[in-house]
Amino acid sequence: PSPTMSIVNSTTEICSNNLVNITLNSPTSGAIITLTGINYNGVVGTLTSPRNYIPGSVISETLINNTTGTITVTYSFTVAGNGCFNSTTFSTTVDVKPIPVITNTALQLQQNICSGTTLNFLPTSTTDPGTTYTWTSNTSGTFTGLSASGSGAITDTPVNTTNVIGYIIYTITPHLNGCSGVPVNYVV
């Protein structure tokens, strides 16, 4: 009989900078599974083809999407065994979603205010207008009018209850399509 194979891809959709997990199987005795091609479509990966695997092998590589949109990576395989070759191409895909990036400048991420001034800071991202933001706050000093955490714009009205300059550090994390980006600090 013609050799056959199956692919178990537990990572059909991942965030950039994560590992794929693709298991290659074949019921054919002595089967050799060959990775015949990878179409990264602009995603950064580490594999080259052709590359041979035995049944039970797991493909695991980190994929990096440096663009602003989801990119599909395609892995293509053939299988041979018992002196026979199956010319059918077996394939699987992985959608690699971008990581959102906060694009405010260093100057925009620092603000000096007087006690009692209402903040109105909304981070920006060039990744996607659908990017959302969560944040937490930490202080150096004694304040009222602060939220410990929140989402979206930061609209606290901090009041310094001492005569000493105080600082508030808001740690902001961007989120998009289930992927979280690198947090940045907004210092007031």
Side-chain angles (χ1 to χ4, degrees):
S2 181
T4 187
M5 68 171 290
S6 63
I7 302 169
V8 178
N9 182 356
S10 62
T11 51
T12 57
E13 184 178 82
I14 63 172
C15 296
S16 180
N17 208 30
N18 278 280
L19 290 169
V20 297
N21 187 330
I22 301 168
T23 303
L24 308 173
N25 293 305
S26 175
T28 306
S29 176
I32 298 294
I33 300 167
T34 302
L35 174 65
T36 57
I38 308 165
N39 187 348
Y40 284 117
N41 286 317
V43 167
V44 177
T46 58
L47 294 178
T48 57
S49 62
R51 180 176 284 195
N52 291 332
Y53 297 93
I54 60 172
S57 294
V58 176
I59 293 177
S60 181
E61 70 168 333
T62 300
L63 296 178
I64 300 171
N65 178 353
N66 291 316
T67 73
T68 59
T70 299
I71 298 178
T72 301
V73 175
T74 304
Y75 296 85
S76 300
F77 305 90
T78 57
V79 61
N82 296 328
C84 298
F85 173 77
N86 185 337
S87 62
T88 302
T89 298
F90 299 83
S91 61
T92 189
T93 60
V94 177
D95 289 336
V96 185
K97 299 183 288 185
I99 296 291
V101 176
I102 292 176
T103 55
N104 296 83
T105 65
L107 186 60
Q108 292 170 330
L109 291 170
Q110 296 180 32
Q111 184 174 3
N112 293 322
I113 63 168
C114 293
S115 181
T117 302
T118 299
L119 300 172
N120 188 17
F121 180 78
L122 182 63
T124 58
S125 172
T126 58
T127 309
D128 188 286
T131 301
T132 60
Y133 306 92
T134 58
W135 48 267
T136 59
S137 67
N138 290 296
T139 63
S140 170
T142 306
F143 294 90
T144 61
L146 294 181
S147 302
S149 63
S151 61
I154 298 171
T155 57
D156 287 346
T157 305
V159 175
N160 185 343
T161 59
T162 70
N163 292 329
V164 178
I165 294 175
Y167 298 92
I168 308 159
I169 299 173
Y170 293 92
T171 302
I172 307 165
T173 304
H175 307 277
L176 178 65
N177 297 325
C179 299
S180 296
V182 176
V184 299
N185 289 332
Y186 168 53
V187 180
V188 179

